[in-house]
Amino acid sequence: MCELLDSTPQGILDWAERDMKGFQDSLEDLVTRLESEDKSPGYILDLLKTVKSWLRYHDLTLKRRIKVSNPNATPTIEDEQVPSNEELSRIFRASNPRVRVAEVLIAFADLRPQTLGNHDGSDGLMLEDLPELKIENGEIIFDRIPTMIMVRSNISKARHKYFTFLIGEGCTYLKEYLEERLRAGERLEPESPLISHERPRASTRKFLLTRKISHLIRMAMRRAGVYKRPYVLRAYAETQLIIAESKRKISHPYLQFIAGHKGDIESRYSTNKGILPEEMIEGMRNSIQACEPFLGTTTQEMDQSMVVKEAKVEALKSIAKSLLGIDLLEVKVAKEKELERELDRDEEIELFENEIKKMREGEKDPQTIVKETELEAYLADGWQFVSVLPSQKILIRRTD
């Protein structure tokens, strides 16, 4: 702002004290100029926010509301697409081990760049923030994979403590990078930065700055031919986890928690003073492990046969609903309750095909699904109650 206003911090204060009206006119002129240069509204608002904060610190307040056109617009990112699995793999191959670790922590563990190293390099992720990581005889060992990453409150954007997990592929990259540092003679302590400077002894700051981390990732992305912002790697993590949620691999509260968002689990987490029940932690770990095919680059989301099976399931459900008026999802739930386990894709397809065949041939099914209002008549006719389905319809069985 000093450069744009051709002034100094003290000069801005003197100007505002001496001629508040003229100073505010200059700010409005600046906004008009920046908008004519197609600067984003967010960029302009951040500049104004800085000036207002500086004045407020010195007990000065702008009397006029400085307006910015279309303040909620995000022209820089509105057409930006999340990287594909293949693009992410290409980015990893174009990165050195240090930068690759930063990328996987963002793309796989859903961390923000400022968590790895803050704005002034005074804090960031340390080895002790990975409680399941050990060093034995010059080798990095993970007690559990996916491995837990603790995010301390002072490096969390929302200023609350939480944890996330790094999948197996990310653990492999992290292991290679840390063992490379050990071979180079670096002594790794619990307080050592997880991502260090290229020449640690020559640096005056313990941790990499956020802007340095973003710059290194951006350069790697450009080498890979991907012209997007570094932060889009976090968008990749959240998009893939949402897809996994739609496939019932992870619950929405778990997804929100590991992303560092406040919610029901976070409330319990803080209430319990940072301690969650072990079964809940393991439930999250298992969910993240189930999400690895969606997040990772070394495994495909689904092979061709799975794609065919998914399509076949959806087609059978559609046929049953439109032509026969039955909901095959309820049939599946009923069968799983009977077997007391989940059906795999092959069993699901077989069940659906048999159900459609029976309906078409008019075969009497020993089981059927009815509404609550129909239950009394069926029971009087000799049917037996089995269970209530998630849709609140009722599964009954013929007794003869």
Side-chain angles (χ1 to χ4, degrees), residues 112-127:
R112 296 178 174 89
Q114 55 264 42
T115 299
L116 313 183
N118 63 6
H119 71 285
D120 61 0
S122 61
D123 204 354
L125 273 184
M126 298 184 285
L127 291 184

Side-chain angles (χ1 to χ4, degrees), residues 191-204:
E191 300 80 16
S192 297
L194 193 62
I195 301 176
S196 69
H197 295 273
E198 190 172 7
R199 292 174 295 171
R201 294 179 183 176
S203 176
T204 58

Side-chain angles (χ1 to χ4, degrees), residues 154-213:
N154 50 328
I155 56 174
S156 164
K157 180 182 178 181
R159 291 293 180 261
H160 71 279
K161 180 182 177 183
Y162 71 98
F163 60 81
T164 181
F165 294 93
L166 184 62
I167 61 173
E169 182 182 348
C171 289
T172 299
Y173 295 140
L174 179 57
K175 172 183 170 69
E176 292 171 352
Y177 168 61
L178 293 178
E179 289 180 351
E180 180 182 284
R181 287 167 62 180
L182 287 170
R183 290 192 296 271
E186 184 178 351
R187 183 179 177 83
L188 295 181
E189 305 286 353
E191 300 80 16
S192 297
L194 193 62
I195 301 176
S196 69
H197 295 273
E198 190 172 7
R199 292 174 295 171
R201 294 179 183 176
S203 176
T204 58
R205 295 181 176 88
K206 184 175 180 180
F207 297 88
L208 284 174
L209 277 65
T210 305
R211 65 174 182 269
K212 179 66 173 178
I213 293 169

Side-chain angles (χ1 to χ4, degrees), residues 267-284:
S267 301
R268 294 180 60 182
Y269 193 47
S270 57
T271 302
N272 289 326
K273 298 181 174 61
I275 301 175
L276 277 176
E278 186 65 28
E279 57 268 26
M280 183 174 285
I281 295 174
E282 291 310 306
M284 288 189 195

Side-chain angles (χ1 to χ4, degrees), residues 7 16 18 50 71 95 110 112 194 217 234 236 240 276 361:
S7 185
R18 183 179 66 254
T50 305
S95 307
D110 202 6
R112 296 178 174 89
L194 193 62
I217 295 174
R234 188 163 192 260
Y236 169 88
Q240 297 303 107
L276 277 176
E361 294 176 355

Side-chain angles (χ1 to χ4, degrees), residues 332-345:
K332 178 191 173 188
V333 171
K335 187 66 175 179
E336 288 177 338
K337 281 194 172 186
E338 180 185 338
L339 298 176
E340 296 184 346
R341 65 175 177 83
E342 289 189 8
L343 299 175
D344 61 31
R345 271 291 178 257

Side-chain angles (χ1 to χ4, degrees), residues 76-130:
T76 307
I77 62 173
E78 62 186 11
D79 295 323
E80 185 176 67
Q81 291 186 335
V82 172
S84 65
N85 187 274
E86 188 277 329
E87 281 181 319
L88 187 62
S89 178
R90 208 162 68 233
I91 293 168
F92 289 167
R93 294 196 300 271
S95 307
N96 62 40
R98 178 173 65 133
V99 178
R100 189 182 301 124
V101 167
E103 292 162 351
V104 300
L105 288 170
I106 298 170
F108 292 165
D110 202 6
L111 292 174
R112 296 178 174 89
Q114 55 264 42
T115 299
L116 313 183
N118 63 6
H119 71 285
D120 61 0
S122 61
D123 204 354
L125 273 184
M126 298 184 285
L127 291 184
E128 67 181 6
D129 294 323
L130 279 75

